[in-house]
Amino acid sequence: RDINCTLSNLTVSNVAGCGIKISRTGISPASHTQILNCNVSRCDCGIMLDTYSEFNMSTNVASQYNYYGVICKGGNNRFYNCDFSKNNLGVYMPCTNEPNNAHGIFVGCEIAHSNPDNNGYAVICEGVSKGERFEACTIGFGKIKIKDSKGIKFSNSGISKVTLELENSTGFIMNSCSVGNSANFKITQTGKNRNTRIINCFTSNG
């Protein structure tokens, strides 16, 4: 297994499966794969970071018009300035029973206009046990679902025309975010949610 691999300047489209798939790279020594300046479209899944796929870094990646923009099961993964818009599901983290899952970060990413009809899911975190951060992201025209998860944090982000669904989760934080018009930002809660904090957020109409 190669270490410090780089995938750069690729265009991948019309794949029945994953456009780019990385699996089990967290085994010591971790591979530290970088995905740079790639465009992935019209695949079942744009990018798949599978079980125990760790310490990967995606920068300037456009993953659009797929069913899933990115599926991330592994831990310590970082996404910078990526576009996961116009997918049926932008960011999917199905982490239930996944070893050492999540505890990565999305920074400056666009996750918007989720299909169908701008009412699909922009983000689903399911079974995330070690936290995940979304920093300075733009999320709009879709839904965010946090289920059976711990320590999910959105901060300094623009969130517009979004329904936030919380289900049996702990320690969800939304801090210093703009949520657009208050009539278009809704929160639904199911089951037992603990230590939920929405602080320092504001709407366009006050």
Side-chain angles (χ1 to χ4, degrees):
R1 182 169 53 88
D2 291 334
I3 298 174
N4 298 324
C5 296
T6 299
L7 304 174
S8 63
N9 301 303
L10 299 176
T11 298
V12 183
S13 63
N14 297 300
V15 174
C18 301
I20 298 174
K21 182 176 181 179
I22 300 175
S23 184
R24 303 195 70 82
T25 55
I27 300 170
S28 183
S31 69
H32 295 276
T33 298
Q34 295 192 59
I35 306 173
L36 304 175
N37 305 321
C38 293
N39 194 310
V40 187
S41 64
R42 294 180 172 85
C43 302
D44 292 337
C45 174
I47 299 173
M48 164 73 88
L49 303 182
D50 209 350
T51 298
Y52 209 50
S53 179
E54 301 203 15
F55 298 100
N56 303 292
M57 182 168 66
S58 300
T59 307
N60 299 335
V61 173
S63 179
Q64 302 174 326
Y65 300 104
N66 307 291
Y67 191 88
Y68 300 102
V70 59
I71 297 176
C72 182
K73 297 182 180 181
N76 300 292
N77 292 303
R78 293 153 292 159
F79 301 86
Y80 301 109
N81 194 39
C82 295
D83 191 347
F84 298 116
S85 299
K86 300 180 181 178
N87 301 289
N88 281 46
L89 205 171
V91 174
Y92 184 33
M93 303 188 71
C95 293
T96 303
N97 299 322
E98 292 292 336
N100 203 42
N101 63 71
H103 63 284
I105 190 167
F106 291 78
V107 180
C109 294
E110 180 95 7
I111 315 167
H113 296 286
S114 300
N115 294 317
D117 301 321
N118 291 326
N119 197 40
Y121 282 95
V123 178
I124 295 180
C125 295
E126 192 170 52
V128 171
S129 61
K130 299 180 182 294
E132 186 75 10
R133 293 171 58 198
F134 295 81
E135 178 79 26
C137 293
T138 300
I139 303 172
F141 295 91
K143 295 180 282 191
I144 298 172
K145 184 173 185 175
I146 312 299
K147 181 180 179 181
D148 301 326
S149 294
K150 299 177 181 178
I152 308 297
K153 182 178 181 179
F154 291 80
S155 57
N156 301 300
S157 295
I159 298 174
S160 179
K161 294 190 176 181
V162 165
T163 296
L164 170 62
E165 301 175 2
L166 298 176
E167 183 176 346
N168 294 321
S169 292
T170 301
F172 174 84
I173 299 174
M174 184 178 288
N175 184 26
S176 300
C177 293
S178 167
V179 296
N181 189 308
S182 59
N184 295 320
F185 178 72
K186 301 176 182 178
I187 301 175
T188 65
Q189 298 196 58
T190 305
K192 294 181 179 180
N193 296 290
R194 299 177 177 86
N195 301 322
T196 299
R197 288 180 288 171
I198 298 179
I199 52 178
N200 301 321
C201 295
F202 59 93
T203 66
S204 58
N205 58 352

